[in-house]
Amino acid sequence: MNILYAIWDFFATYILRNAPYMVGFLTLLGYTLMGKKWYDTLSGTIKAIVGFLILNAGSGGLTSNFRPILAGLKDRFNLTACVIDPYYGQNAVTAGVEEVFGKGFSEALTLLLIAFIVNILLVRFNKITKCRSLFTTGHVQVQQAATAYWLILFALPALRENSVALMAVMSIVLGAYWAVGSNLTVKPMQELTEGAGFAIAHQQMFGIRLSYILADKLFGTNGGKRDKEIKKVGEMEMPGFFSIFNENMVCTAILMTVFFGIIMIVIGRDFFVETEAMAADYNFGFYIVNTSLQFAVYLAILQLGVRTFVTELTASFQGIADKLLPSSVPGVDCAVCYGFGDSNAVTFGFLAGLTGQIIAIITLIIIGSPVIIICGFVPVFFDNATLGLVANEKGGVKACLVIPFLSGLIQVFGAAFIAGFVGMAQYGGYLGMFDWDTVWPLFTVLMHYLGYAGIAIVVVILFALPQIEYRMDPEGYFMITEDYDAYVEHVAKKKSA
């Protein structure tokens, strides 16, 4: 008995509460259950652990780099600056969840595992649940598990002392969101790609379906009910210099230099000298440039770490899932769809969204908002580029410009509200992508003010959505994933009937 207790004590102390080694353990378990050879299992486990340690290094660098700027805004203007970016949001949870809630980040990874199992079960029994897509984008799952962990801890204080009940609620809500959200993108993606056989499992799944609907009804043919000529972005010529924004690292460096540079100039050189963040004889202009570029460096390190461990963590579960999920498609990163439709719509969507974000940020400053949002590359590009691509396909260039522009406004105003409301803003980051500025703030408010009734409402909403979609076209619902050509014929017959 003493030996068993010692083993459990070691596991709880050094594995369960230690996020890198918890990820390694989950990877080891998954590969073992798959029957992988011992050396492949060892290799994958090591990469998972090292990847998370790399993530920690990038996260720590972002925190130390950002702290003087946050302190300056607090000291001089009583403002809280918050970068809307999934990696900054994940970093905020890592930095603050123990301080605010007395919880460890490793529990967020346990949430990821159980929520993924919920997603698998919902898709496995898709004839009942009507969920056709498995969320396979591992790095996004980590980011969302971290943010959902914070939001639900905030919303349900009564469950904080009951870890089992808390994890059960979190897993059902997050797992259902993954299954239902990616399921909403099946129809838009199958039509955009002409049956390529994937859905989107990212941060703007509800946004994709909303963009699909609004673009068609407001700017398109409204499902073929209107005879209308739709002019698409591909018919327009674009300046060559726009291609610079397609490079993640370059765009991040430019955005961070512009935004942080302005903020540091406003704070003033004296503050950084007084706080010993900068030497008195150091050139302030060079300090601004170097500090801003360091954000791109640490973000790249953090992304490398995430990609490294998530690749192994995802692979260790994917082989099992593939054998168990008929009539389904994989949910993948939103960037996969950029090879379809009009490629220029990606850039148009990004620039329209960026314009919306900048106008919203200026508005926050003018009205004296206590939370000031700073653009992050990932939301401003991947959200708005994806929404722009879908909107262009259904409603042409007008939809491609208007819908991402509105998305940019929503990203900033929604993030400013929820990040300030739940206390994440004081740790410098929030996930900040479309669904997490709209759907998840709604979920959080419902659960926070209605308690168990709020949880029930959220779960009912999520489970009802695929049922409603199924009832709109029972014959074609699974046909679209099983035989897309037959689905196209089915749609043509319905229109001619």
Side-chain angles (χ1 to χ4, degrees), residues 153-478:
L153 279 172
F154 170 84
L156 303 168
L159 293 181
R160 291 175 196 169
E161 302 305 318
N162 188 338
S163 295
V164 175
L166 179 66
M167 203 57 64
V169 170
M170 287 183 173
S171 301
I172 291 171
V173 173
L174 184 60
Y177 165 73
W178 286 343
V180 172
S182 57
N183 186 73
L184 285 173
T185 72
V186 170
K187 187 175 182 180
M189 286 303 111
Q190 286 291 81
E191 291 186 4
L192 174 70
T193 66
E194 298 182 347
F198 65 83
I200 296 300
H202 209 259
Q203 318 273 22
Q204 61 297 98
M205 300 178 294
F206 280 72
I208 287 172
R209 191 54 181 259
L210 185 61
S211 177
Y212 173 90
I213 294 170
L214 292 179
D216 189 31
K217 290 192 175 297
L218 299 181
F219 302 97
T221 63
N222 193 15
K225 296 176 183 176
R226 288 195 300 260
D227 292 326
K228 187 176 182 180
E229 186 72 24
I230 300 174
K231 183 177 182 180
K232 296 187 178 181
V233 170
E235 301 170 23
M236 305 175 64
E237 292 187 10
M238 290 178 56
F241 72 85
F242 278 5
S243 63
I244 191 173
F245 296 112
N246 293 330
E247 186 67 38
N248 188 337
M249 190 177 297
V250 174
C251 191
T252 298
I254 291 172
L255 285 175
M256 293 300 103
T257 301
V258 170
F259 283 96
F260 284 121
I262 293 171
I263 290 170
M264 284 189 279
I265 289 170
V266 170
I267 292 172
R269 181 181 188 278
D270 292 343
F271 175 83
F272 294 100
V273 174
E274 291 167 7
T275 56
E276 299 183 349
M278 182 184 78
D281 59 348
Y282 203 82
N283 183 276
F284 187 46
F286 190 79
Y287 175 78
I288 290 173
V289 172
N290 186 59
T291 301
S292 300
L293 294 181
Q294 288 296 317
F295 284 102
V297 172
Y298 288 121
L299 193 59
I301 293 171
L302 193 150
Q303 290 168 335
L304 170 63
V306 169
R307 285 194 299 270
T308 302
F309 86 78
V310 161
T311 297
E312 300 303 326
L313 186 62
T314 303
S316 66
F317 288 97
Q318 192 55 50
I320 300 171
D322 284 344
K323 300 174 184 177
L324 301 174
L325 308 175
S327 302
S328 66
V329 293
V332 297
D333 194 298
C334 64
V336 175
C337 71
Y338 297 167
F340 302 88
D342 288 344
S343 58
N344 285 347
V346 171
T347 305
F348 266 60
F350 158 64
L351 292 174
L354 178 61
T355 303
Q357 281 201 8
I358 290 172
I359 290 173
I361 290 168
I362 293 171
T363 303
L364 289 180
I365 295 171
I366 291 173
I367 66 176
S369 170
V371 176
I372 298 299
I373 296 298
I374 297 173
C375 286
F377 171 77
V378 177
V380 76
F381 183 84
F382 288 100
D383 264 5
N384 298 310
T386 305
L387 300 186
L389 187 65
V390 173
N392 179 66
E393 194 67 19
K394 299 300 291 184
V397 65
K398 290 182 181 178
C400 183
L401 292 173
V402 172
I403 291 175
F405 172 79
L406 295 176
S407 169
L409 297 175
I410 290 168
Q411 287 168 325
V412 171
F413 292 136
F417 161 71
I418 191 65
F421 181 56
V422 304
M424 284 186 70
Q426 64 181 308
Y427 292 94
Y430 177 69
L431 199 158
M433 299 188 76
F434 188 89
D435 284 3
W436 297 80
D437 301 321
T438 52
V439 177
W440 277 90
L442 173 62
F443 289 172
T444 304
V445 169
L446 286 173
M447 290 186 288
H448 182 65
Y449 289 108
L450 300 180
Y452 293 110
I455 297 170
I457 292 170
V458 169
V459 172
V460 167
I461 290 172
L462 287 172
F463 284 119
L465 288 173
Q467 300 294 338
I468 293 170
E469 186 178 358
Y470 171 76
R471 279 159 178 74
M472 293 173 67
D473 185 12
E475 186 179 349
Y477 189 76
F478 287 104

Side-chain angles (χ1 to χ4, degrees), residues 100-122:
V100 176
F101 302 111
K103 297 284 187 177
F105 185 73
S106 60
E107 288 191 20
L109 298 172
T110 304
L111 164 62
L112 185 158
L113 171 63
I114 303 173
F116 185 57
I117 293 172
V118 170
N119 186 182
I120 291 173
L121 292 173
L122 290 173

Side-chain angles (χ1 to χ4, degrees), residues 70-100:
L70 276 178
L73 287 169
K74 273 283 189 186
D75 182 70
R76 295 290 169 90
F77 309 106
N78 196 32
L79 294 174
T80 300
C82 180
V83 180
I84 49 173
D85 181 278
Y87 295 98
Y88 280 85
Q90 183 178 321
N91 184 59
V93 176
T94 306
V97 71
E98 185 169 355
E99 182 178 323
V100 176

